[in-house]
Amino acid sequence: MADLRTYTIIYVLLLVLGTGKFVFFEFDFAYSIAIGGTILLAVAKIGLIAAYYQHLIEEPRSITYMMATAVFMVFLLTIAAGYSIQ
Amino acid sequence: MADLPPMTTVKRWLVTTNHKDVGILYIATAIFFLLLGGAMALIFRIQLWEPGGVGILSGNEFNQAVTTHGLLMVFWFLSPIASGFANYLVPLQIGAKDLAFPRMNALSYWFYLFSGVLLIISFFQQGTFAGGWTMYAPLNVPTYTPAMEATTGGNAVILGLMLFVISITIGTVNFLVTIHRSRAEGLGLWNMPLFTWSWLLTVWMMLFAFAALLAALLLLVSDRVLLTQYFATDQGSSLLWAHLFWFFGHPEVYIVFFPALGIMFETFQTFTGRRLVGRKWVIIAMVLVAVQSFLVWMHHMFLTTINLEIKTLMMATTIGISLPFDLMVFALIYTMVKGRVRFTTPFLFSLGALVLFILGGITGVFLGAVVLDYEFRGTYWVVAHFHYVMVSGVTALVGGIYYWWPKISGKMYSETLGKLNFAVYFIGFNMLYFPMFLAWETPRRVFHFAEGAQIYHQVATVGAFILGASFLIMILTLAKSWISGPDAPDNPWEFSRTAEWAIPSPPPLENWDGRPSYASGRLEFVEDSPAATDGGVAHGQGNQAEAAIEHEEEHADHASIWPFGIGVGTFVFFLGLSGLTPYIIDFAEGTPNPPEGLTGIAAEPNIMYPILTLVGIGIMGVTLYKFGMERFEVPEMKIAERWPFGGVGNTKFGVWVFLASDVVVFGAIIGAYIFMRIHMGWHEWTTVPFASWPGLLNTYVLLTSSFTVILALVMAERKNKKGLLGAMTATLLLGLTFMGVKAYEYSMKFADGEYWWYGLEYSIYYVTTGLHALHVILGLFIAVFMIYRIISVDAYLEDHRPVEFFGLYWHFVDIVWVLLFPLFYLM
Ligand code: HEM
Ligand SMILES: [Cu+2]
């Protein structure tokens, strides 16, 4: 397990990243930049939470692969379905 | 806790958590549903005797019969009977004493049974669901169901199916943990028996596929009970359903077929006295099929408006998936050619299954071609195709019954009767389904067809009765064996090699005396002295004395009544939900903007249903609490093969598997949002929340609660009770704050009369964030339970794992919010 300091730093980071999304949309960014930026921020946040708070980095890699497979399934479904009606 | 009562008592079957008992319960219940589904089929086959029907069923009754026949056979018979075999045999084949979570296993069974009871009850709620087993939109929602017809019964079926899926999910977690983490020493994955292999891949497919179905059903239930609009709009609803359903549905056809395939491999080996030819390649082929099964689903949508590019792609992947199947078929044929075949009853059924499968597979390839499917779609060709493949699976499963009956019952049966059974079965099967190819121009699910096809339908109807009779012969054969058959030896088959045949028939409660091990290359039973056990592989530290105590205490529980209790509670709750639609409609009519076209469609409100809902919640509350408090020992195997999931405990791995399925459930629901938004035009979308700041505020709240949960874990590790209590309480308060903000946000919309039926965007917003809120609420219940345990018995200071597991769940809920916030409040 990481120590309290690491967890606190991550907490602060998460707050900043969360605010970042809001900033993208509330201030004058182009819609596409806002969306792209938000996706990046969300991915970073999810990565931090999963890796440290759920401490995936300390578990056998196979658990990460399993979760990645689940995420892949979602992307597969959503992207293929979205593409099918283009 | 209590000791397990003898098999002759009813109580035994209510409290048992033993895998063999649960297996028997599954098999018996599945056969009951087979008979029920069969009865439906016989009734509508009579109706099909002449074009336009002979008049024993009204139009709507015919639809009900066809629909429930399909649902019963696919869901309540095929998968569960395979589950039954897996329950009984997989632990035996891998050298375990039971599944990883025996009480959860019993819970899966009770959920399964009660889900089926819901379906049966639906017939008596003014008619059951009539929209076909595929439940295509928009025929699956109240707006498009004729007035007063079957809304309540239809709800009960959909809710029943949802309960069934929950049962499957629990079973999936259990089997994945078991097969990955409880294999006897020396039993690497490559050496695992083929039935277990097929089941392992089945549960992996189930994990992801059924999660998509659960998502679809959640949305459908919300449409039917709460009047949301997912499947009622003219803007992509039917495509949305088709995508969600077939993303599940195509893997499902392999899910039902794989266990049958596993049985074919086992019986071919046993009765040809030969190892399967190309065994390794067969395993690789199965893995490939499992992966590819998720890449072909749109071959069920060739006649929808999806674009030609994706259709072509799906045609290619569909052809691709038949290749590994060819390999398996040839492996079976060569095994037969190279071995010396003994035509016993189980072998005959397996061979029959192979022949039928080849025919079914070939006709499937026709359907996989886009142009041909333009002709075949919606006709009896499809009906004939999938009955050849699916009921080929049933054929092998019947073979499985004959193969393992001596092991399970401890009795031998009459080979003559068994062979008679096969003959009648095979003749009935082909008389029933082959004419459907010839009558292929008949549209499916209606009883009107061209005069010229009448003779084929009549042959089919006769065949249906012959096939039905063959099952009576089966039951007779087995009953006779049970009453007066000779005792079965440990191993009645000369060349069987798997571990279940190395122990008595029927096996004792805990399966083995010694510890099964394959370390020497073949099955042996070793006696471990306590010191050797603990000094060796698994634990490391721990002195002799501790080891001895541990050995003393290694007692496993086999009985708990609470899974049954939870089953009853959930059943009552779901039954109550099925009748709430009229109340919601009443409520909606009192708001400024009631949904259009819904007035008068529901049954009369019946006060029984709200009462049942509340009673169900009450029973669930009590039984879940009791379940949580019960001491139930399940020793984890000390020495086991665990690749690739060594290094985590059983429960933690189980939590992760569950989360993987939840990722797909939530992902599919978020996917539904994205799909519908793309369909509508991304920028046409109306943002629903009145402002984005509540979303941001709740982001902060949830992130902070994630931090307090991790703090709780740190405190538990430090054995700091005050800190643990404080952190958990903070989490609880933050969760409540989140719900408070949510409630405020919803109430702002309600004040303007904008409820979830106000438009598609509103439905999606309320349902998605509502489902997330439901996760928060469930988490809060767990938190309250844990706080109570900390206060009352200083819990989690010695063993902090439950705090960690709760955290895993809670962080997941946080992660979902990371996505929902931008999707619903910003974009
Ligand atoms: C060689 C392998 C297979 C191919 C290429 C194939 C292809 C297809 C295609 C293209 C369809 C859609 C037809 C239509 O609705 O127009 C279909 C339907 C179906 N197939 Fe297969 N299939 C194969 C194997 C199987 C297996 C093994 C099973 C089950 C054990 C199965 C069960 C079904 C079912 C249930 C349907 C109909 C679903 C419905 O609309 O109600 N298929 N198949
Ligand atoms: Cu398919």
Side-chain angles (χ1 to χ4, degrees):
Chain A
M1 300 277 140
D3 55 16
L4 210 50
R5 227 189 97 213
T6 321
Y7 289 138
T8 315
I9 295 172
I10 290 167
Y11 172 57
V12 174
L13 265 177
L14 288 173
L15 290 182
V16 172
L17 293 175
T19 315
K21 297 184 211 165
F22 185 74
V23 170
F24 270 125
F25 281 90
E26 290 301 306
F27 298 89
D28 270 338
F29 287 92
Y31 190 73
S32 55
I33 292 185
I35 290 232
T38 302
I39 291 175
L40 285 181
L41 293 183
V43 170
K45 273 177 81 177
I46 293 172
L48 282 174
I49 297 177
Y52 291 96
Y53 281 6
Q54 295 181 311
H55 45 81
L56 267 180
I57 47 167
E58 290 166 28
E59 305 292 1
R61 219 31 84 234
S62 47
I63 304 255
T64 309
Y65 296 146
M66 176 176 74
M67 298 312 283
T69 311
V71 173
F72 170 79
M73 290 295 175
V74 173
F75 274 80
L76 174 68
L77 173 60
T78 309
I79 293 174
Y83 172 74
S84 77
I85 50 168
Q86 293 302 310
Chain B
M1 284 288 268
D3 280 335
L4 202 52
M7 289 220 181
T8 45
T9 60
V10 175
K11 189 169 170 222
R12 158 76 165 234
W13 300 99
L14 295 179
V15 300
T16 185
T17 63
N18 180 265
H19 73 99
K20 294 184 291 301
D21 291 354
V22 176
I24 292 170
L25 285 172
Y26 260 108
I27 295 174
T29 312
I31 290 178
F32 167 75
F33 285 117
L34 166 75
L35 297 179
L36 190 61
M40 294 293 143
L42 292 180
I43 292 171
F44 70 69
R45 276 307 332 167
I46 294 176
Q47 174 77 349
L48 284 161
W49 186 257
E50 48 191 52
V54 295
I56 62 162
L57 294 172
S58 70
N60 190 271
E61 284 163 358
F62 181 83
N63 289 349
Q64 292 181 34
V66 171
T67 300
T68 45
H69 163 71
L71 289 169
L72 280 168
M73 292 305 196
V74 175
F75 292 106
W76 277 279
F77 163 60
L78 257 171
S79 275
I81 195 168
S83 260
F85 282 125
N87 259 291
Y88 202 100
L89 295 159
V90 163
L92 294 178
Q93 291 199 332
I94 64 177
K97 286 191 169 170
D98 207 325
L99 290 183
F101 311 113
R103 284 192 307 170
M104 293 306 248
N105 194 31
L107 186 62
S108 305
Y109 170 73
W110 293 114
F111 277 179
Y112 158 55
L113 177 72
F114 284 119
S115 71
V117 175
L118 276 169
L119 186 140
I120 294 172
I121 289 179
S122 73
F123 283 99
F124 305 101
Q125 295 169 306
Q126 296 136 41
T128 182
F129 188 67
W133 84 277
T134 46
M135 300 166 279
Y136 283 137
L139 283 178
N140 54 4
V141 289
T143 325
Y144 293 90
T145 314
M148 305 301 283
E149 264 173 23
T151 18
T152 308
N155 287 352
V157 171
I158 307 293
L159 285 159
L161 192 53
M162 206 160 102
L163 188 56
F164 177 84
V165 177
I166 296 171
S167 148
I168 292 268
T169 308
I170 299 172
T172 308
V173 173
N174 216 337
F175 273 106
L176 284 174
V177 175
T178 306
I179 302 179
H180 278 297
R181 292 186 41 84
S182 312
R183 277 171 283 131
E185 182 185 20
L187 189 64
L189 281 183
W190 281 117
N191 299 323
M192 226 163 49
L194 285 164
F195 176 71
T196 299
W197 249 114
S198 71
W199 185 249
L200 175 64
L201 292 169
T202 303
V203 281
W204 273 116
M205 286 190 282
M206 279 180 170
L207 180 69
F208 299 116
F210 272 94
L213 180 62
L214 185 55
L217 291 173
L218 279 167
L219 303 183
L220 183 54
V221 165
S222 147
D223 271 14
R224 298 185 59 103
V225 178
L226 300 173
L227 310 178
T228 52
Q229 308 278 306
Y230 274 94
F231 302 115
T233 71
D234 49 6
Q235 313 166 45
S237 284
S238 68
L239 280 177
L240 173 66
W241 178 264
H243 274 301
L244 287 172
F245 184 81
W246 287 116
F247 185 79
F248 146 78
H250 189 84
E252 166 70 359
V253 307
Y254 298 110
I255 287 168
V256 299
F257 193 70
F258 262 40
L261 202 56
I263 292 173
M264 285 155 75
F265 294 142
E266 297 278 357
T267 46
F268 267 66
Q269 296 192 117
T270 297
F271 297 109
T272 58
R274 208 189 174 294
R275 214 173 133 93
L276 192 68
V277 173
R279 187 176 184 281
K280 204 168 186 173
W281 291 102
V282 168
I283 293 173
I284 294 174
M286 282 201 286
V287 174
L288 272 176
V289 170
V291 172
Q292 287 174 285
S293 70
F294 287 92
L295 303 172
V296 299
W297 79 90
M298 281 179 247
H299 67 211
H300 296 274
M301 300 170 67
F302 284 158
L303 256 70
T304 66
T305 55
I306 60 173
N307 62 42
L308 192 57
E309 288 83 355
I310 197 100
K311 286 181 192 170
T312 315
L313 184 68
M314 290 285 159
M315 175 161 85
T317 52
T318 301
I319 293 169
I321 204 169
S322 40
L323 301 179
F325 263 119
D326 298 340
L327 189 144
M328 292 189 246
V329 167
F330 283 116
L332 283 169
I333 294 175
Y334 278 126
T335 308
M336 211 163 57
V337 171
K338 292 205 161 179
R340 216 168 52 78
V341 179
R342 286 154 195 80
F343 286 97
T344 58
T345 306
F347 183 78
L348 283 173
F349 273 99
S350 294
L351 180 60
L354 179 63
V355 172
L356 301 172
F357 183 72
I358 293 173
L359 244 148
I362 292 173
T363 53
V365 178
F366 283 58
L367 294 171
V370 179
V371 239
L372 290 179
D373 194 51
Y374 282 177
E375 280 298 315
F376 285 137
R377 172 102 193 135
T379 69
Y380 262 63
W381 185 276
V382 179
V383 179
H385 153 67
F386 73 70
H387 280 90
Y388 261 87
V389 274
M390 288 229 201
V391 189
S392 144
V394 177
T395 314
L397 287 161
V398 175
I401 295 180
Y402 279 113
Y403 183 51
W404 281 301
W405 173 264
K407 178 55 58 187
I408 296 176
S409 71
K411 301 279 185 178
M412 297 304 290
Y413 51 84
S414 151
E415 266 293 318
T416 320
L417 277 177
K419 285 184 176 135
L420 175 73
N421 181 4
F422 175 71
V424 176
Y425 179 99
F426 202 72
I427 293 168
F429 181 110
N430 286 294
M431 270 179 75
L432 170 55
Y433 299 122
F434 197 79
M436 293 185 186
F437 283 122
L438 304 175
W440 72 270
E441 280 169 305
T442 311
R444 64 188 285 200
R445 291 172 177 163
V446 294
F447 47 83
H448 293 272
F449 47 85
E451 296 284 341
Q454 184 173 3
I455 180 69
Y456 302 129
H457 283 289
Q458 293 188 341
V459 174
T461 300
V462 174
F465 279 89
I466 296 177
L467 185 65
S470 79
F471 282 98
L472 296 185
I473 301 178
M474 178 185 90
I475 290 171
L476 197 87
T477 312
L478 300 181
K480 187 161 170 290
S481 152
W482 179 246
I483 295 165
S484 61
D487 285 345
D490 291 4
N491 178 15
W493 319 119
E494 196 179 346
F495 292 106
S496 62
R497 298 151 56 103
T498 42
E500 73 268 26
W501 302 109
I503 52 173
S505 310
L509 186 63
E510 299 203 340
N511 299 347
W512 347 85
D513 294 332
R515 175 172 65 80
S517 163
Y518 292 87
S520 67
R522 52 185 199 82
L523 179 60
E524 283 175 336
F525 295 100
V526 288
E527 290 299 334
D528 296 315
S529 68
T533 315
D534 217 35
V537 189
H539 278 231
Q541 328 80 352
N543 58 34
Q544 291 267 347
E546 259 178 31
I549 291 167
E550 220 171 296
H551 195 74
E552 286 272 286
E553 279 181 356
E554 189 167 291
H555 142 82
D557 284 313
H558 296 290
S560 168
I561 189 66
W562 303 117
F564 174 72
I566 298 170
V568 172
T570 315
F571 163 72
V572 174
F573 174 60
F574 275 45
L575 187 60
L577 289 184
S578 75
L580 293 190
T581 311
Y583 289 93
I584 306 288
I585 291 183
D586 274 359
F587 168 70
E589 280 167 351
T591 65
N593 308 299
E596 288 162 32
L598 278 178
T599 314
I601 63 153
E604 283 297 306
N606 181 339
I607 190 69
M608 181 183 81
Y609 289 107
I611 293 175
L612 283 175
T613 310
L614 293 177
V615 172
I617 292 176
I619 301 177
M620 279 159 72
V622 174
T623 49
L624 279 166
Y625 173 76
K626 292 282 192 186
F627 186 93
M629 296 297 285
E630 186 176 48
R631 262 181 72 87
F632 193 90
E633 296 290 335
V634 188
E636 213 169 288
M637 277 165 78
K638 294 210 176 64
I639 302 178
E641 298 296 329
R642 309 210 146 115
W643 192 85
F645 294 102
V648 276
N650 276 358
T651 314
K652 196 199 279 188
F653 180 43
V655 172
W656 275 112
V657 178
F658 165 74
L659 288 181
S661 92
D662 218 10
V663 163
V664 178
V665 176
F666 252 115
I669 286 175
I670 294 173
Y673 159 84
I674 293 176
F675 179 81
M676 294 306 261
R677 185 160 174 179
I678 292 175
H679 199 278
M680 179 183 281
W682 191 262
H683 294 287
E684 310 296 307
W685 196 258
T686 317
T687 301
V688 179
F690 72 95
S692 54
W693 66 259
L696 183 65
L697 178 59
N698 262 347
T699 302
Y700 292 146
V701 172
L702 264 198
L703 285 177
T704 311
S705 74
S706 260
F707 181 64
T708 54
V709 166
I710 205 83
L711 211 61
L713 181 57
V714 173
M715 291 303 160
E717 278 172 337
R718 293 182 184 169
K719 302 197 194 309
N720 178 341
K721 180 177 170 184
K722 268 210 181 114
L724 174 61
L725 195 58
M728 284 302 292
T729 312
T731 310
L732 178 64
L733 293 177
L734 287 162
L736 290 173
T737 311
F738 180 90
M739 293 308 300
V741 175
K742 186 108 278 175
Y744 172 68
E745 194 183 308
Y746 282 5
S747 67
M748 292 294 280
K749 299 307 290 183
F750 296 159
D752 293 338
E754 294 173 359
Y755 289 85
W756 43 89
W757 51 76
Y758 192 60
L760 180 62
E761 294 97 323
Y762 293 79
S763 294
I764 295 181
Y765 159 75
Y766 282 111
V767 169
T768 316
T769 57
L771 193 65
H772 176 263
L774 199 64
H775 273 67
V776 173
I777 293 173
L778 289 180
L780 292 182
F781 278 125
I782 301 174
V784 168
F785 179 77
M786 292 178 74
I787 290 172
Y788 166 73
R789 298 272 291 163
I790 297 168
I791 295 174
S792 60
V793 294
D794 291 350
Y796 319 124
L797 298 176
E798 294 306 319
D799 178 3
H800 57 256
R801 286 177 306 171
V803 181
E804 183 186 350
F805 302 151
F806 171 68
L808 292 179
Y809 170 79
W810 192 261
H811 299 308
F812 168 73
V813 176
D814 194 8
I815 287 179
V816 173
W817 187 254
V818 168
L819 295 166
L820 297 193
F821 170 49
L823 281 173
F824 284 98
Y825 294 79
L826 301 175
M827 289 184 174

